[in-house]
Structures are given as C-alpha cells and as structure tokens.
C-alpha cells in the first residue's frame, strides 16, 4: 500500500475524514508522476481497466451503455477511463483529490486529442447539482481512501438520475486479512477480516499521517448500497489471467491464482 519514499511507520488506528483527506491529497500529489510512469502503459491512455487483473470495461460491461450518457468518474486520476468513455460517445468528466493527477490528465488530453473535463474535489462533497449524471463510477478511485463512506455513497446517489448506474472497484475486502506482499508473505492471513481499523502510514520524522486506506467488508458494502437506494446487480471478482505476470503493489500472479484481489460492484439507483 505504501507510496512513500520517506520513512513511515505503519499503524492501524481510527482516522477521520479530514485527516484522511489531508494525508491522501498530498500523498497522491507526490506519487502521481511515479504512478503514471509505472502504470500508464498498462492503463492505456484511452483505456478502461478495473484493476490489476486487467479486466476491461469492454469485457465487464458493468456500466451499461455509455454512448450519449452523462458520466462522472470519482477518483479519476489522469482520466484514462473517462477518456475511453469519451471515445465511446459518452460525456464523461473526472473528479480527483490530487491536482498532480489531474495535470497528468491534461497531458494525456494533449497527447491523445481526447479531452476529459475534470475538477479538483473530494468524493464526500461532489460539486454538482442533484440528478446530473446517468452513470457514476470509480476504478480503484476514492472509495477506499474515504473515511465518511456513508457521505460518499449518499453524494453519489444524489448526483445520479433515477435509474442511474453506479460501479466501482476496490481492493477485494478479503485481502485485508493478509499482509500487502506480492510474495509468499502475502499468502498467510495475519489479521481479522472484520477489523475495520484503517491502515495508516505516519511520517517518522514529523508524526503526521501520510497515507490512509479504509476497509469495509463485503457485507458492509451491501448494506451501504442498499441503504442509499441502490439495487446491486453485479459483484465481479476478476480471476488472475493465465500468463499475466505483472506485479502491482500487493497484486501478483502468485496471490492472484489463489485469492481474489479486486472486487467490482455494479448497482442501479431505484427509479
Ligand atoms: C489508485 S488511483 C486510481 C486512479 C484512476 N482511477 C486509475 O485507475 O488510474 C486513486 C485515485 O483516487 C484519488 N483520491 C483519493 N482520495 C480521494 C477522494 N477523497 N476524492 C476523490 N479522489 C480521491 C487519488 O488522488 C488517486 O488519483
């Protein structure tokens, strides 16, 4: 999980929304150049993958038709997924907490000739009117970085039109029982699946929280979505493809052949 070249110590402890945001915005600003340099080719400048297994939206089809639809990507990074939607005729826009990630989006706009409008912001306060979008999605974007997940899901429901689609990918919740290690060390469960205490990296020198991730169980996600008016239609658990040897953080062929690394939820807002 760590992005940090600086010395950090890892803790599990409660972190509120303000502290999560103050840590993760600057963290993604610092990490953005390396993230795009390392993963940009795999993501594709005009490409939509749901996670390290490489499942594409063309294969998954979890968003439904995108042509002519108003689409919001939350935690859009450099907007590769939104750029793919624009190439399919959808009106996608991005929102991200990191200005540096959005700057990479401007670079890709120039390089590809497909511009994705975007806004700096957070998933818990979407700067849009009610019922603005037909589709909202997040590919490993904001949701696991947010403490106030009830607010983030409520905000998503608010900006969707009745019947709108919501889809998102996250680290598969069962992975939280295991060390974030792509090797043998990541195969042995060391902590409780039901322990929701956030994963926190604290800067050793300053004592400031530098990075936070939040865990919810599969049951938590079902309750969250149902509680905000969504009907769940999909829970994809992409299998690790044969011959796919790419390591991405804690995701690897070794672990991917044995346990699910990503979960992709699809849901529709009640009409
Ligand atoms: C793993 S990256 C994924 C980006 C993009 N979806 C991709 O596939 O490359 C996570 C993104 O979520 C953004 N993020 C983190 N917390 C956020 C929040 N509270 N609101 C909006 N975006 C957030 C980060 O800045 C980062 O760009």
């Amino acid at each position: 999980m760590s992005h940090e070249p600086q010395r950090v110590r890892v803790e599990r402890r409660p972190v509120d929304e303000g502290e999560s945001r103050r840590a993760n915005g600057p963290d993604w600003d610092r990490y953005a150049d390396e993230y795009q340099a390392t993963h940009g080719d795999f993501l594709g400048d005009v490409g939509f993958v749901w996670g390290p297994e490489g499942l594409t939206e063309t294969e998954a089809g979890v968003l439904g038709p995108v042509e002519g639809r108003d689409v919001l990507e939350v935690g859009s990074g450099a907007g590769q997924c939104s750029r793919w939607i624009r190439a399919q005729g959808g009106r996608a826009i991005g929102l991200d907490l990191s200005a540096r990630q959005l700057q990479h989006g401007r670079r890709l706009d120039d390089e590809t000739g497909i511009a994705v409008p975007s806004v700096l912001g957070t998933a818990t306060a979407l700067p849009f009117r009610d019922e603005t979008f037909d589709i909202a999605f997040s590919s490993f974007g904001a949701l696991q970085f947010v403490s106030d997940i009830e607010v983030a899901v409520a905000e998503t429901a608010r900006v969707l039109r009745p019947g709108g689609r919501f889809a998102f990918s996250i680290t598969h919740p069962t992975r939280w029982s295991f060390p974030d290690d792509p090797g043998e060390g990541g195969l042995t469960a060391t902590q409780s699946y039901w322990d929701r205490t956030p994963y926190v990296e604290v800067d050793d020198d300053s004592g400031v929280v530098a990075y936070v991730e939040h865990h919810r169980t599969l049951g938590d996600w079902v309750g969250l979505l149902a509680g905000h008016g969504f009907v769940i239609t999909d829970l994809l658990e992409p299998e690790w493809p044969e011959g796919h040897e790419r390591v991405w953080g804690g995701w690897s062929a070794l672990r991917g052949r044995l346990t699910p690394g990503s979960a992709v939820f699809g849901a529709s807002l009640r009409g």
Side-chain angles (χ1 to χ4, degrees):
M1 295 186 199
S2 177
H3 299 157
E4 296 298 318
Q6 77 231 51
R7 283 182 307 137
V8 293
R9 63 175 185 273
V10 171
E11 296 178 0
R12 298 287 298 265
R13 67 165 169 87
V15 183
D16 68 14
E17 181 56 32
E19 205 171 19
S20 298
R21 204 180 308 163
R22 284 193 299 278
N24 288 337
D27 176 83
W28 279 99
D29 283 340
R30 285 189 297 274
Y31 179 53
D33 292 1
E34 186 188 333
Y35 179 84
Q36 298 301 337
T38 309
H39 303 299
D41 284 350
F42 180 72
L43 295 171
D45 295 349
V46 188
F48 194 138
V49 293
W50 280 110
E53 296 82 7
L55 177 73
T56 65
E57 173 54 15
T58 304
E59 295 163 325
V62 69
L63 297 181
V66 298
E67 188 179 355
R69 308 300 202 275
D70 294 308
V71 183
L72 173 64
E73 178 175 8
V74 182
S76 53
Q80 289 91 342
C81 297
S82 287
R83 205 165 284 103
W84 179 85
I85 288 178
R86 290 222 155 231
Q88 314 301 310
R91 291 181 293 273
I93 71 172
L95 174 142
D96 201 281
L97 190 59
S98 161
R100 187 62 184 160
Q101 287 278 69
L102 296 180
Q103 280 176 355
H104 279 284
R106 302 290 74 76
R107 173 179 58 77
L108 293 182
D109 290 349
D110 291 342
E111 288 174 11
T112 62
I114 302 174
V116 175
S118 63
V119 58
L120 187 66
T122 179
T124 51
L126 298 176
F128 304 102
R129 294 208 173 103
D130 297 0
E131 302 185 14
T132 301
F133 298 101
D134 303 300
I135 300 170
F137 76 93
S138 184
S139 178
F140 272 84
L143 298 174
Q144 62 196 34
F145 303 107
V146 159
S147 168
D148 281 349
I149 192 62
E150 290 277 358
V151 176
V153 177
E155 276 291 88
T156 307
R158 181 184 64 75
V159 301
L160 278 173
R161 298 183 178 124
R165 290 287 294 163
F166 178 30
F168 59 90
S169 57
I170 51 173
T171 303
H172 197 289
T174 56
R175 276 279 164 100
W176 278 73
S177 298
F178 301 90
D180 190 39
D181 177 345
E184 295 283 337
L187 297 179
T188 304
T190 52
Q191 56 198 37
S192 166
Y193 169 71
W194 297 277
D195 180 357
R196 279 87 161 172
T197 312
Y199 168 95
V200 181
E201 292 175 3
V202 180
D203 186 296
D204 248 352
D205 299 325
S206 66
V208 170
V209 173
Y211 180 75
V212 184
E213 281 192 40
H214 296 270
H215 167 51
R216 287 98 198 176
T217 67
L218 288 168
D220 292 342
W221 283 111
V222 170
L224 271 163
L225 291 167
H228 290 280
F230 289 101
V231 175
I232 298 170
T233 56
D234 305 86
L235 172 52
L236 309 180
E237 298 168 296
E239 290 192 36
W240 195 268
E242 204 57 47
H244 182 47
E245 295 302 328
R246 191 169 195 276
V247 174
W248 181 332
W251 286 259
S252 64
L254 177 73
R255 299 179 81 201
R257 289 192 191 106
L258 297 173
T259 65
S262 305
V264 187
F265 279 89
S268 294
L269 193 61
R270 287 198 185 86

